[in-house]
Amino acid sequence: MSVLDVLLAIIFYPPIWQLLILGFGGALLIAIVAVWFERKAAARVQRRIGPYWASPRLGGLLHLVADMMRYMFQQVIIPRTVDYFPFLVAPIVGMAVSILPFAVVPLTANPSYWPLPPGLMEYSLLLALAISTLPPIFLIVAGWAANNPFTIVGGVREAFIILAYELIAILSLLAPAITVGSFNIVEIVQAQGFFKWFIILNPLAFLAAVIAIAMSTSAFPFEIPESEPEVVAGPFTEYSGILYALNMGGAYMRRFAFSLIASLVLLGGWYPVVPGEGVVMGYLLPSLVVVAKAALVTLAISFLRAVYGRYRLDQALDLAWRLVLPLTLLAVLLALIEAYLGIV
């Protein structure tokens, strides 16, 4: 084997390609782009002079550079009253766990590049959804460890939101599995093919999934745990510097991970690319198609900041229990009917 072959084998080894390059590197890049897009879209729609006109020749990129410089070099202040160990560990572990779904989802139909053995692949959707529910735990821990009234209130708000929207997210993303009769993501994608994407066959599931992803990752209009006018920065109030950046970046990475799962089970996965042999057609192109779809979903959710105001906690919970949960149950019923009729 040549040096190039060895290098390609290392880069496209599924744990490295999916977890480190696409998971960490790709999610970090998407998080940066999403922040830029939120500012520019909101500035365009709402006529915010600063973000819209600052460094116009560079597209406002100087704002991102300034933010990154500030987070990297800002002093990390740790109050005396915090619970030291969980205060430091929670944002680091929370961000790391946010990208773990990339380690279990297949991004191609070629079994040579699956991240899991064939036996575990039968439960890949369940594994991905189970891992996706872990990051909010560390957000609550961060708020509790900070030992501040605002952080505790923010953590409690996050707990309320988890109870309301995690169930909706899981049920809506499991609806395609009910129709197909399998928890194997590869089989779900293959069943959709070129034309039977579940965004068309079950639009209720897609709508419920998008709302649940926005809510569970604190996207507008559901940026409730860290609502500035009410609880300063919620669970992140006592954080500064790089620790604050980890907390905020983790939400964007989790949004991207959820969007990746939604792209696989609702948006046709790697289609219209048909995975073949070799690293390019068998792995690189299919995975990039999935990531591109996930990026579009992430940016679409980020655009909500430009057109909606922030909900109160009671309004968000009322929306979840009275409207979105029944909508999700209807999506599950529709999935059962399609499974009975053999639509796919």
Side-chain angles (χ1 to χ4, degrees):
M1 294 180 64
S2 66
V3 176
L4 180 59
D5 292 333
V6 173
L7 184 60
L8 289 176
I10 294 174
I11 293 175
F12 291 103
Y13 179 56
I16 294 178
W17 175 249
Q18 294 190 196
L19 190 58
L20 295 182
I21 298 178
L22 293 182
F24 181 75
L28 182 61
L29 178 61
I30 292 299
I32 294 172
V33 172
V35 171
W36 170 84
F37 180 74
E38 280 185 356
R39 290 176 176 174
K40 299 300 285 187
R44 181 72 175 180
V45 173
Q46 301 170 5
R47 298 296 295 175
R48 296 185 179 185
I49 301 301
Y52 188 56
W53 293 107
S55 61
R57 294 184 180 180
L58 298 176
L61 294 179
L62 290 182
H63 275 188
L64 295 178
V65 174
D67 280 344
M68 288 187 287
M69 294 289 288
R70 178 183 57 153
Y71 289 136
M72 288 176 62
F73 296 106
Q74 187 181 48
Q75 180 183 2
V76 176
I77 300 173
I78 302 177
R80 295 178 181 178
T81 56
V82 304
D83 195 342
Y84 189 82
F85 181 74
F87 181 83
L88 290 180
V89 170
I92 299 172
V93 177
M95 186 175 186
V97 173
S98 296
I99 63 174
L100 281 183
F102 285 84
V104 298
V105 294
L107 299 180
T108 178
N110 189 329
S112 301
Y113 300 104
W114 287 351
L116 296 173
L120 286 177
M121 192 60 66
E122 296 297 322
Y123 308 99
S124 54
L125 180 57
L126 291 179
L127 288 171
L129 292 176
I131 296 172
S132 298
T133 62
L134 296 178
I137 297 174
F138 298 98
L139 192 150
I140 295 172
V141 170
W144 185 262
N147 197 22
N148 176 293
F150 293 116
T151 64
I152 293 173
V153 170
V156 172
R157 287 184 171 196
E158 181 70 20
F160 276 117
I161 291 169
I162 291 171
L163 290 175
Y165 280 87
E166 289 287 354
L167 176 62
I168 295 170
I170 291 172
L171 286 178
S172 59
L173 292 173
L174 283 178
I178 295 173
T179 302
V180 177
S182 172
F183 294 121
N184 188 330
I185 293 178
V186 174
E187 294 182 4
I188 295 173
V189 175
Q190 298 288 71
Q192 295 176 82
F194 289 97
F195 305 109
K196 295 182 179 180
W197 295 5
F198 281 105
I199 187 177
I200 300 172
L201 297 180
N202 198 337
L204 298 179
F206 180 77
L207 178 61
V210 169
I211 296 174
I213 293 171
M215 185 63 182
S216 59
T217 58
S218 297
F220 258 71
F222 306 113
E223 196 183 42
I224 298 169
E226 57 266 23
S227 174
E228 294 94 339
E230 301 167 9
V231 287
V232 187
F236 315 139
T237 300
E238 296 290 4
Y239 284 95
S240 58
I242 191 65
L243 291 180
Y244 181 82
L246 290 176
N247 277 317
M248 297 302 295
Y252 286 96
M253 289 187 171
R254 185 166 179 250
R255 190 180 307 166
F256 182 56
F258 258 128
S259 299
L260 186 82
I261 300 172
S263 300
L264 286 165
V265 301
L266 293 167
L267 297 178
W270 43 81
Y271 283 95
V273 173
V274 178
E277 298 297 326
V279 70
V280 176
M281 288 302 300
Y283 197 25
L284 177 61
L285 284 181
S287 61
L288 291 180
V289 169
V290 178
V291 168
K293 291 180 179 180
L296 289 176
V297 174
T298 302
L299 294 179
I301 294 174
S302 298
F303 180 74
L304 297 177
R305 176 182 289 271
V307 293
Y308 285 103
R310 182 187 291 111
Y311 282 4
R312 298 194 314 265
L313 178 62
D314 61 299
Q315 291 174 328
L317 296 179
D318 187 71
L319 177 69
W321 295 115
R322 293 178 182 271
L323 180 61
V324 186
L325 182 59
L327 182 72
T328 307
L329 296 178
L330 285 176
V332 172
L333 178 61
L334 179 59
L336 288 170
I337 294 173
E338 290 176 346
Y340 178 77
L341 297 177
I343 298 297
V344 296

